[in-house]
Structure formats: structure tokens, C-alpha cells
Amino acid sequence: MKNEEVKNGVIFPIGAKNEAYAQFFTGQSYLQNLVADSAVNVGVGNVTFEPGCRNNWHIHHNGFQILLVTGGEGWYQEEGTPAQRLEPGDVVVTHDGIKHWHGATKDSWFEHIAITAGTPEWLEPVSDEQYAAVEEDE
């Protein structure tokens, strides 16, 4: 697999298996909370995806999400638009109410810092067919 060094953490620690959100992911992810302060209205976490792992379609209500890609290769897609390939140094801003997903490519580890405000609404998984189509379009 490509970018295996990501599994050791790139800038921040990889964190534990992401059991709290496992039901919203296809494949294995890891989460290290970086800011979890109830006095701060924003969450910051280091999310690591094993190859092929991706989260479900989801929407952030009354907020946003900013992804800072720190390692590996991944995908980001908003509903109705082509998927965008992500590499270290890429920044993605997801505005309030936009349905989207993100995750690793099929053959690479992937890591990003997620800065999130608002309430997530978790939706259906990205199907194997949808995911394969993104990979084929590459």
C-alpha cells in the first residue's frame, strides 16, 4: 500500500480506532481529538483512514467543515459534482448544508485535520459502486 508511513501519524498522533463514529464509515478510521473544549464551539481532530476507508455522505448544519490534508491520498466529493483528489497541502472548505463525503483512495493511507462546527447529519454510505466509479474516473 502507498503512504504506509501515515499509519504512524504525520504531524499529530494517529489516535485510537474511531469506534465512536465507526457506524458512519466504510473501513477502518482512527481519531485523535486535538481540541475538545466545551467552551470552544469548534472541534478539531486528526482523522486517519486506512486504504479504501471513507465516511458516509453527511451534512453539517449550522456550521461548516474545513479539511487540512496532512498525509497520503484521498477523495472529497460534494453531491452532484465530480470527486476531487486530495494530497498533502490541500485545503477543503465545506459550507453549511452541503452533502459530501471524504476518504482514502483504494491503495493509500490518508490523513487530514478536520475543523468542524455545527451539527453533523450522517446519511447513507458511499456505495462500493459510487466509490469504484470515482476511482475509475481518475
Side-chain angles (χ1 to χ4, degrees), residues 95-119:
H95 295 276
D96 183 61
I98 301 296
K99 184 177 178 180
H100 67 287
W101 69 272
H102 33 104
T105 62
K106 67 181 177 185
D107 63 352
S108 177
W109 284 75
F110 177 60
E111 189 169 72
H112 63 55
I113 305 299
I115 303 166
T116 308
T119 305

Side-chain angles (χ1 to χ4, degrees), residues 26-53:
T26 298
Q28 184 63 60
S29 67
Y30 303 83
L31 176 62
Q32 176 67 47
N33 283 318
L34 302 175
V35 176
D37 183 334
S38 61
V40 177
N41 191 22
V42 116
V44 181
N46 183 40
V47 185
T48 306
F49 301 76
E50 289 187 358
C53 177

Side-chain angles (χ1 to χ4, degrees), residues 7-128:
K7 69 182 175 186
N8 298 317
V10 176
I11 298 171
F12 298 100
I14 186 173
K17 287 186 177 181
N18 189 3
E19 302 297 344
Y21 294 93
Q23 64 188 349
F24 306 119
F25 283 73
T26 298
Q28 184 63 60
S29 67
Y30 303 83
L31 176 62
Q32 176 67 47
N33 283 318
L34 302 175
V35 176
D37 183 334
S38 61
V40 177
N41 191 22
V42 116
V44 181
N46 183 40
V47 185
T48 306
F49 301 76
E50 289 187 358
C53 177
R54 68 250 184 207
N55 54 29
N56 289 8
W57 289 97
H58 57 288
I59 297 170
H60 300 279
H61 294 287
N62 301 310
F64 57 85
Q65 186 170 60
I66 299 169
L67 305 177
L68 307 175
V69 179
T70 57
E73 298 172 13
W75 294 110
Y76 171 84
Q77 185 174 24
E78 293 180 358
E79 184 177 45
T81 66
Q84 173 185 345
R85 188 176 186 85
L86 300 176
E87 297 177 346
D90 288 340
V91 176
V92 175
V93 177
T94 305
H95 295 276
D96 183 61
I98 301 296
K99 184 177 178 180
H100 67 287
W101 69 272
H102 33 104
T105 62
K106 67 181 177 185
D107 63 352
S108 177
W109 284 75
F110 177 60
E111 189 169 72
H112 63 55
I113 305 299
I115 303 166
T116 308
T119 305
E121 176 186 2
W122 291 100
L123 303 166
E124 72 276 7
V126 175
S127 71
D128 290 342

